[in-house]
Coordinates of all heavy atoms in Angstrom, one line a residue:
M1 N -5.4 12.5 -19.8 CA -5.8 11.1 -19.7 C -7.2 10.9 -20.3 O -8.1 11.7 -20.0 CB -5.7 10.7 -18.2 CG -6.3 9.3 -18.0 SD -5.8 8.6 -16.5 CE -4.0 8.4 -16.7
N2 N -7.3 9.9 -21.1 CA -8.6 9.7 -21.8 C -9.6 9.0 -20.9 O -10.8 9.3 -21.0 CB -8.4 8.8 -23.0 CG -7.6 9.5 -24.0 OD1 -7.6 10.7 -24.1 ND2 -6.9 8.8 -24.9
D3 N -9.2 8.1 -20.0 CA -10.2 7.4 -19.1 C -10.1 8.0 -17.7 O -9.2 7.7 -17.0 CB -9.9 5.9 -19.2 CG -10.9 5.1 -18.4 OD1 -12.0 5.7 -18.0 OD2 -10.7 3.9 -18.2
I4 N -11.1 8.8 -17.4 CA -11.1 9.4 -16.1 C -11.2 8.4 -14.9 O -10.7 8.7 -13.9 CB -12.2 10.5 -16.0 CG1 -12.0 11.4 -14.8 CG2 -13.6 9.8 -15.9 CD1 -12.6 12.8 -14.9
H5 N -11.8 7.3 -15.2 CA -11.9 6.2 -14.2 C -10.5 5.8 -13.7 O -10.3 5.3 -12.6 CB -12.7 5.0 -14.7 CG -14.1 5.4 -15.1 ND1 -15.1 5.4 -14.2 CD2 -14.6 5.7 -16.3 CE1 -16.2 5.8 -14.9 NE2 -15.9 6.0 -16.1
A6 N -9.5 5.9 -14.6 CA -8.1 5.4 -14.2 C -7.5 6.4 -13.2 O -6.4 6.0 -12.7 CB -7.3 5.3 -15.5
L7 N -8.1 7.5 -12.9 CA -7.5 8.4 -12.0 C -7.8 8.1 -10.5 O -7.4 8.8 -9.6 CB -8.0 9.9 -12.3 CG -7.5 10.4 -13.6 CD1 -8.1 11.8 -13.8 CD2 -6.0 10.5 -13.7
S8 N -8.7 7.1 -10.3 CA -9.1 6.9 -8.9 C -8.0 6.6 -7.9 O -8.0 7.1 -6.8 CB -10.2 5.8 -8.9 OG -9.6 4.6 -9.4
G9 N -7.0 5.8 -8.4 CA -5.9 5.5 -7.5 C -5.1 6.7 -7.1 O -4.8 7.0 -5.9
A10 N -4.8 7.5 -8.1 CA -4.0 8.8 -7.9 C -4.8 9.7 -7.0 O -4.2 10.4 -6.1 CB -3.6 9.4 -9.2
Y11 N -6.1 9.8 -7.2 CA -7.0 10.7 -6.4 C -7.0 10.2 -5.0 O -6.9 11.0 -4.0 CB -8.4 10.7 -7.0 CG -9.3 11.6 -6.2 CD1 -9.3 12.9 -6.4 CD2 -10.2 11.0 -5.2 CE1 -10.2 13.8 -5.6 CE2 -11.0 11.8 -4.5 CZ -11.0 13.2 -4.7 OH -11.9 14.0 -3.9
A12 N -7.0 8.9 -4.8 CA -7.1 8.4 -3.4 C -5.9 8.7 -2.6 O -6.0 8.8 -1.4 CB -7.3 6.8 -3.5
V13 N -4.7 8.8 -3.2 CA -3.5 9.1 -2.5 C -3.0 10.6 -2.7 O -1.9 10.9 -2.5 CB -2.4 8.1 -2.8 CG1 -2.8 6.7 -2.3 CG2 -2.0 8.1 -4.3
D14 N -4.0 11.4 -3.2 CA -3.7 12.8 -3.4 C -2.5 13.1 -4.3 O -1.6 13.9 -4.0 CB -3.5 13.5 -2.0 CG -3.6 15.0 -2.1 OD1 -4.4 15.5 -3.0 OD2 -3.0 15.7 -1.3
A15 N -2.5 12.4 -5.4 CA -1.4 12.6 -6.4 C -1.9 13.2 -7.7 O -1.3 12.9 -8.7 CB -0.8 11.2 -6.6
L16 N -2.9 14.0 -7.7 CA -3.4 14.6 -8.9 C -3.1 16.1 -8.9 O -3.0 16.7 -7.8 CB -4.9 14.4 -9.1 CG -5.5 13.0 -9.3 CD1 -7.0 13.1 -9.4 CD2 -4.9 12.4 -10.5
S17 N -2.9 16.7 -10.1 CA -2.8 18.1 -10.1 C -4.1 18.8 -9.7 O -5.1 18.1 -9.7 CB -2.4 18.5 -11.6 OG -3.5 18.3 -12.4
D18 N -4.1 20.1 -9.5 CA -5.3 20.7 -9.1 C -6.4 20.6 -10.2 O -7.6 20.4 -9.9 CB -5.0 22.2 -8.8 CG -4.2 22.4 -7.6 OD1 -4.2 21.5 -6.7 OD2 -3.6 23.5 -7.4
E19 N -6.0 20.7 -11.5 CA -6.9 20.6 -12.6 C -7.5 19.2 -12.7 O -8.7 19.0 -12.8 CB -6.2 21.0 -13.9 CG -7.1 20.9 -15.1 CD -6.3 21.3 -16.4 OE1 -5.4 22.1 -16.3 OE2 -6.6 20.7 -17.4
E20 N -6.6 18.2 -12.5 CA -7.1 16.8 -12.6 C -8.0 16.5 -11.4 O -9.1 15.9 -11.6 CB -5.9 15.8 -12.6 CG -5.1 15.8 -13.8 CD -3.8 15.0 -13.6 OE1 -3.2 15.0 -12.5 OE2 -3.5 14.3 -14.6
R21 N -7.7 17.0 -10.2 CA -8.5 16.8 -9.1 C -9.9 17.4 -9.2 O -10.9 16.7 -8.9 CB -7.8 17.3 -7.8 CG -8.6 17.1 -6.5 CD -8.0 17.6 -5.2 NE -6.8 18.3 -5.2 CZ -5.5 17.9 -5.4 NH1 -5.3 16.6 -5.7 NH2 -4.5 18.7 -5.3
A22 N -10.0 18.6 -9.7 CA -11.2 19.3 -9.9 C -12.1 18.5 -10.9 O -13.3 18.2 -10.7 CB -11.0 20.7 -10.4
G23 N -11.5 18.0 -12.0 CA -12.3 17.2 -13.0 C -12.7 15.9 -12.4 O -13.8 15.5 -12.7
F24 N -11.9 15.3 -11.6 CA -12.2 14.0 -11.1 C -13.3 14.1 -10.0 O -14.2 13.3 -9.9 CB -11.0 13.2 -10.5 CG -11.3 11.8 -10.2 CD1 -11.4 10.9 -11.1 CD2 -11.4 11.4 -8.8 CE1 -11.7 9.5 -10.8 CE2 -11.7 10.1 -8.5 CZ -11.8 9.2 -9.5
E25 N -13.2 15.2 -9.2 CA -14.2 15.4 -8.2 C -15.6 15.6 -8.8 O -16.6 15.1 -8.3 CB -13.8 16.5 -7.3 CG -12.7 16.1 -6.3 CD -12.2 17.2 -5.4 OE1 -12.5 18.4 -5.7 OE2 -11.4 16.8 -4.5
K26 N -15.6 16.3 -10.0 CA -16.9 16.5 -10.7 C -17.4 15.1 -11.2 O -18.6 14.8 -11.1 CB -16.7 17.4 -11.8 CG -18.0 17.8 -12.6 CD -17.7 18.9 -13.6 CE -19.1 19.2 -14.3 NZ -19.0 20.3 -15.2
H27 N -16.5 14.3 -11.7 CA -16.9 13.0 -12.1 C -17.4 12.1 -11.0 O -18.4 11.4 -11.1 CB -15.6 12.3 -12.8 CG -15.8 10.8 -13.0 ND1 -16.6 10.4 -14.0 CD2 -15.4 9.7 -12.3 CE1 -16.6 9.0 -14.0 NE2 -15.9 8.6 -13.0
L28 N -16.8 12.2 -9.8 CA -17.2 11.4 -8.6 C -18.7 11.7 -8.3 O -19.3 10.8 -7.7 CB -16.3 11.7 -7.4 CG -15.0 11.1 -7.3 CD1 -14.2 11.5 -6.1 CD2 -15.1 9.6 -7.3
E29 N -19.1 12.9 -8.5 CA -20.5 13.2 -8.2 C -21.5 12.3 -8.9 O -22.6 12.0 -8.4 CB -20.8 14.7 -8.5 CG -20.1 15.7 -7.7 CD -20.2 17.1 -8.2 OE1 -21.0 17.4 -9.1 OE2 -19.5 18.0 -7.7
A30 N -21.1 11.8 -10.1 CA -22.1 11.0 -10.9 C -21.6 9.6 -11.0 O -22.3 8.8 -11.8 CB -22.2 11.7 -12.3
C31 N -20.6 9.2 -10.4 CA -20.0 7.8 -10.6 C -19.9 7.1 -9.3 O -18.8 7.1 -8.6 CB -18.7 7.9 -11.4 SG -18.1 6.2 -11.8
P32 N -20.9 6.3 -8.9 CA -20.8 5.5 -7.7 C -19.7 4.5 -7.7 O -19.1 4.2 -6.6 CB -22.2 4.9 -7.5 CG -22.9 5.1 -8.8 CD -22.2 6.1 -9.6
A33 N -19.4 4.0 -8.8 CA -18.3 2.9 -8.9 C -17.0 3.6 -8.5 O -16.2 3.0 -7.8 CB -18.2 2.3 -10.3
C34 N -16.7 4.8 -9.0 CA -15.4 5.4 -8.7 C -15.4 5.8 -7.2 O -14.4 5.8 -6.6 CB -15.2 6.6 -9.6 SG -14.6 6.2 -11.2
R35 N -16.6 6.3 -6.7 CA -16.6 6.6 -5.3 C -16.3 5.4 -4.4 O -15.5 5.5 -3.4 CB -18.0 7.2 -4.9 CG -18.2 8.6 -5.4 CD -19.4 9.3 -4.7 NE -20.6 8.5 -4.8 CZ -21.5 8.6 -5.8 NH1 -21.3 9.5 -6.8 NH2 -22.6 7.9 -5.8
E36 N -16.8 4.3 -4.8 CA -16.6 3.0 -4.0 C -15.1 2.7 -4.1 O -14.5 2.3 -3.2 CB -17.5 1.9 -4.6 CG -17.4 0.6 -3.8 CD -18.3 -0.4 -4.3 OE1 -19.4 -0.1 -4.7 OE2 -17.9 -1.6 -4.3
E37 N -14.5 2.8 -5.3 CA -13.1 2.4 -5.5 C -12.2 3.3 -4.7 O -11.3 2.9 -4.1 CB -12.8 2.4 -7.0 CG -11.3 2.0 -7.3 CD -11.0 1.8 -8.7 OE1 -11.8 2.2 -9.6 OE2 -9.9 1.3 -9.0
V38 N -12.5 4.6 -4.8 CA -11.7 5.6 -4.0 C -11.7 5.3 -2.5 O -10.7 5.3 -1.8 CB -12.1 7.1 -4.3 CG1 -11.5 8.0 -3.3 CG2 -11.7 7.5 -5.7
D39 N -12.9 5.0 -2.0 CA -13.1 4.6 -0.6 C -12.2 3.4 -0.3 O -11.5 3.4 0.7 CB -14.5 4.4 -0.2 CG -15.4 5.7 -0.2 OD1 -14.8 6.8 -0.2 OD2 -16.6 5.5 -0.3
S40 N -12.3 2.4 -1.1 CA -11.5 1.2 -0.9 C -10.0 1.4 -1.0 O -9.3 0.9 -0.1 CB -11.9 0.1 -2.0 OG -11.1 -1.0 -1.9
L41 N -9.6 2.2 -1.9 CA -8.2 2.5 -2.1 C -7.7 3.3 -0.9 O -6.5 3.1 -0.4 CB -7.9 3.2 -3.4 CG -8.1 2.3 -4.6 CD1 -8.1 3.2 -5.9 CD2 -7.0 1.2 -4.7
R42 N -8.5 4.2 -0.4 CA -8.1 5.0 0.8 C -7.9 4.1 2.0 O -7.0 4.3 2.8 CB -9.1 6.2 1.0 CG -8.9 7.3 0.1 CD -9.8 8.4 0.4 NE -9.5 9.6 -0.4 CZ -10.3 10.6 -0.6 NH1 -11.6 10.6 -0.1 NH2 -10.0 11.6 -1.4
E43 N -8.8 3.2 2.2 CA -8.7 2.2 3.3 C -7.4 1.5 3.2 O -6.7 1.3 4.2 CB -9.9 1.3 3.3 CG -11.2 1.9 3.7 CD -12.3 0.9 3.7 OE1 -12.1 -0.3 3.8 OE2 -13.5 1.4 3.5
A44 N -7.1 1.0 2.0 CA -5.9 0.2 1.8 C -4.6 1.1 2.0 O -3.7 0.7 2.6 CB -5.8 -0.4 0.4
A45 N -4.7 2.3 1.5 CA -3.5 3.2 1.7 C -3.3 3.5 3.2 O -2.2 3.7 3.6 CB -3.7 4.5 0.9
A46 N -4.4 3.6 3.9 CA -4.3 3.9 5.4 C -3.6 2.8 6.1 O -3.0 3.0 7.2 CB -5.7 4.1 6.0
L47 N -3.6 1.6 5.6 CA -2.9 0.4 6.2 C -1.4 0.4 5.9 O -0.7 -0.3 6.6 CB -3.6 -0.9 5.7 CG -5.0 -1.1 6.2 CD1 -5.6 -2.3 5.5 CD2 -5.2 -1.1 7.7
L48 N -1.0 1.1 4.9 CA 0.4 1.0 4.5 C 1.4 1.3 5.6 O 2.4 0.6 5.7 CB 0.7 1.8 3.2 CG 0.0 1.4 2.0 CD1 0.2 2.4 0.8 CD2 0.5 0.0 1.6
P49 N 1.2 2.3 6.4 CA 2.2 2.6 7.5 C 2.2 1.5 8.5 O 3.2 1.4 9.3 CB 1.7 3.9 8.1 CG 0.8 4.5 7.1 CD 0.2 3.4 6.3
T50 N 1.2 0.6 8.5 CA 1.2 -0.5 9.6 C 1.9 -1.7 9.1 O 2.1 -2.7 9.8 CB -0.2 -0.8 10.0 OG1 -0.9 -1.3 8.9 CG2 -0.9 0.4 10.5
T51 N 2.3 -1.8 7.8 CA 3.0 -3.0 7.3 C 4.4 -3.0 7.9 O 5.0 -2.0 8.3 CB 3.0 -3.0 5.8 OG1 3.7 -1.8 5.3 CG2 1.6 -3.0 5.2
T52 N 5.0 -4.2 7.8 CA 6.4 -4.3 8.3 C 7.3 -4.7 7.2 O 6.9 -5.4 6.2 CB 6.5 -5.4 9.4 OG1 6.0 -6.6 8.9 CG2 5.7 -5.0 10.6
E53 N 8.5 -4.2 7.3 CA 9.5 -4.5 6.2 C 10.1 -5.9 6.5 O 10.4 -6.2 7.6 CB 10.6 -3.5 6.3 CG 11.6 -3.6 5.2 CD 12.7 -2.5 5.2 OE1 12.3 -1.3 5.5 OE2 13.8 -2.8 4.9
T54 N 10.2 -6.6 5.4 CA 10.7 -8.0 5.5 C 11.8 -8.2 4.5 O 11.7 -7.8 3.3 CB 9.6 -9.0 5.2 OG1 8.5 -8.8 6.1 CG2 10.1 -10.4 5.4
E55 N 12.9 -8.7 5.0 CA 14.1 -9.0 4.1 C 13.8 -10.2 3.3 O 13.4 -11.2 3.9 CB 15.3 -9.2 4.9 CG 16.0 -7.9 5.3 CD 16.6 -7.1 4.2 OE1 17.3 -7.7 3.3 OE2 16.5 -5.9 4.2
P56 N 14.0 -10.2 2.0 CA 13.8 -11.5 1.2 C 14.9 -12.5 1.6 O 16.0 -12.1 2.0 CB 13.9 -11.1 -0.2 CG 14.8 -9.8 -0.2 CD 14.4 -9.2 1.1
S57 N 14.6 -13.7 1.5 CA 15.6 -14.7 1.8 C 16.7 -14.6 0.7 O 16.5 -14.1 -0.4 CB 15.0 -16.2 1.7 OG 14.7 -16.5 0.3
P58 N 17.9 -15.0 1.1 CA 19.0 -15.0 0.1 C 18.7 -15.7 -1.2 O 19.1 -15.2 -2.3 CB 20.2 -15.6 0.8 CG 19.9 -15.5 2.3 CD 18.4 -15.5 2.4
A59 N 17.9 -16.7 -1.2 CA 17.6 -17.5 -2.4 C 16.7 -16.6 -3.3 O 16.8 -16.6 -4.5 CB 17.0 -18.8 -2.1
V60 N 15.7 -16.0 -2.7 CA 14.8 -15.1 -3.5 C 15.5 -14.0 -4.1 O 15.3 -13.6 -5.2 CB 13.6 -14.7 -2.6 CG1 12.8 -13.6 -3.3 CG2 12.7 -15.8 -2.2
R61 N 16.3 -13.3 -3.3 CA 17.1 -12.2 -3.8 C 18.0 -12.6 -4.9 O 18.0 -11.9 -6.0 CB 17.9 -11.6 -2.6 CG 18.7 -10.3 -3.0 CD 19.4 -9.7 -1.8 NE 19.9 -8.4 -2.1 CZ 21.0 -8.1 -2.9 NH1 21.7 -9.1 -3.4 NH2 21.4 -6.9 -3.1
A62 N 18.7 -13.7 -4.8 CA 19.6 -14.2 -5.9 C 18.8 -14.5 -7.1 O 19.2 -14.2 -8.2 CB 20.3 -15.4 -5.4
A63 N 17.6 -15.1 -7.0 CA 16.8 -15.5 -8.1 C 16.3 -14.2 -8.9 O 16.3 -14.2 -10.1 CB 15.6 -16.3 -7.7
V64 N 15.9 -13.2 -8.1 CA 15.4 -12.0 -8.7 C 16.6 -11.3 -9.5 O 16.4 -10.9 -10.6 CB 14.8 -11.0 -7.7 CG1 14.6 -9.6 -8.3 CG2 13.5 -11.6 -7.2
L65 N 17.7 -11.2 -8.8 CA 18.8 -10.5 -9.4 C 19.4 -11.3 -10.7 O 19.8 -10.7 -11.6 CB 20.0 -10.3 -8.4 CG 19.6 -9.3 -7.3 CD1 20.8 -9.2 -6.3 CD2 19.4 -7.9 -7.9
A66 N 19.3 -12.6 -10.6 CA 19.7 -13.5 -11.7 C 18.8 -13.3 -12.9 O 19.2 -13.4 -14.1 CB 19.8 -14.9 -11.3
S67 N 17.5 -13.1 -12.7 CA 16.6 -13.1 -13.8 C 16.3 -11.7 -14.3 O 15.6 -11.5 -15.3 CB 15.3 -13.8 -13.4 OG 14.7 -13.1 -12.4
I68 N 16.8 -10.7 -13.6 CA 16.4 -9.3 -14.0 C 16.9 -9.0 -15.4 O 16.2 -8.2 -16.1 CB 16.9 -8.3 -12.9 CG1 16.1 -7.1 -13.0 CG2 18.4 -8.0 -13.1 CD1 16.2 -6.2 -11.8
T69 N 17.9 -9.6 -15.8 CA 18.4 -9.3 -17.2 C 17.6 -9.9 -18.3 O 17.7 -9.5 -19.4 CB 19.9 -9.7 -17.4 OG1 19.9 -11.1 -17.2 CG2 20.8 -9.0 -16.4
Q70 N 16.7 -10.8 -17.9 CA 15.8 -11.4 -18.9 C 14.5 -10.7 -19.0 O 13.7 -11.1 -19.9 CB 15.6 -12.9 -18.5 CG 16.8 -13.7 -18.4 CD 16.6 -15.0 -17.8 OE1 15.5 -15.4 -17.4 NE2 17.7 -15.8 -17.6
V71 N 14.2 -9.7 -18.2 CA 12.9 -9.0 -18.3 C 13.1 -7.9 -19.3 O 14.0 -7.1 -19.3 CB 12.6 -8.4 -16.9 CG1 11.3 -7.6 -17.0 CG2 12.4 -9.5 -15.9
R72 N 12.1 -7.9 -20.3 CA 12.1 -6.9 -21.3 C 11.2 -5.7 -20.8 O 10.0 -5.9 -20.6 CB 11.6 -7.4 -22.6 CG 12.6 -8.0 -23.5 CD 12.0 -8.4 -24.8 NE 11.8 -7.3 -25.7 CZ 11.1 -7.4 -26.8 NH1 10.4 -8.5 -27.1 NH2 11.0 -6.3 -27.5
P73 N 11.7 -4.5 -20.8 CA 10.9 -3.4 -20.4 C 9.9 -3.1 -21.5 O 10.2 -3.3 -22.7 CB 11.8 -2.2 -20.2 CG 13.1 -2.6 -20.8 CD 13.1 -4.1 -20.9
L74 N 8.8 -2.6 -21.2 CA 7.8 -2.2 -22.2 C 8.3 -0.9 -22.9 O 8.9 0.0 -22.3 CB 6.4 -1.9 -21.5 CG 5.8 -3.1 -20.9 CD1 4.5 -2.7 -20.2 CD2 5.4 -4.2 -22.0
P75 N 8.0 -0.8 -24.2 CA 8.3 0.5 -24.9 C 7.5 1.6 -24.4 O 6.4 1.4 -23.8 CB 8.0 0.1 -26.3 CG 7.0 -0.9 -26.3 CD 7.2 -1.7 -25.0
P76 N 8.0 2.8 -24.5 CA 7.2 4.0 -24.1 C 5.9 4.1 -24.9 O 5.9 3.7 -26.0 CB 8.1 5.2 -24.4 CG 9.4 4.7 -24.9 CD 9.3 3.2 -25.1
L77 N 4.9 4.6 -24.2 CA 3.6 4.8 -24.9 C 3.7 6.0 -25.9 O 4.3 6.9 -25.7 CB 2.5 5.0 -23.9 CG 2.3 3.9 -23.0 CD1 1.2 4.2 -21.9 CD2 1.8 2.6 -23.7

């Protein structure tokens, strides 16, 4: 990955390889913006188990399913 700053989300949820994690942790020592972002993302991730599942209304579900064929996926990078 070219932009190490983009790894903050994956780091916050422990989704980096050992090599990526070591490099990112070295980066964190000198980057207060990334430390702040990681802290914020960890706080948000900690709240995920407390959310509740909600069924969409039949109208919302129907609208999503009806329009899904109109969404163009992005080409691979």
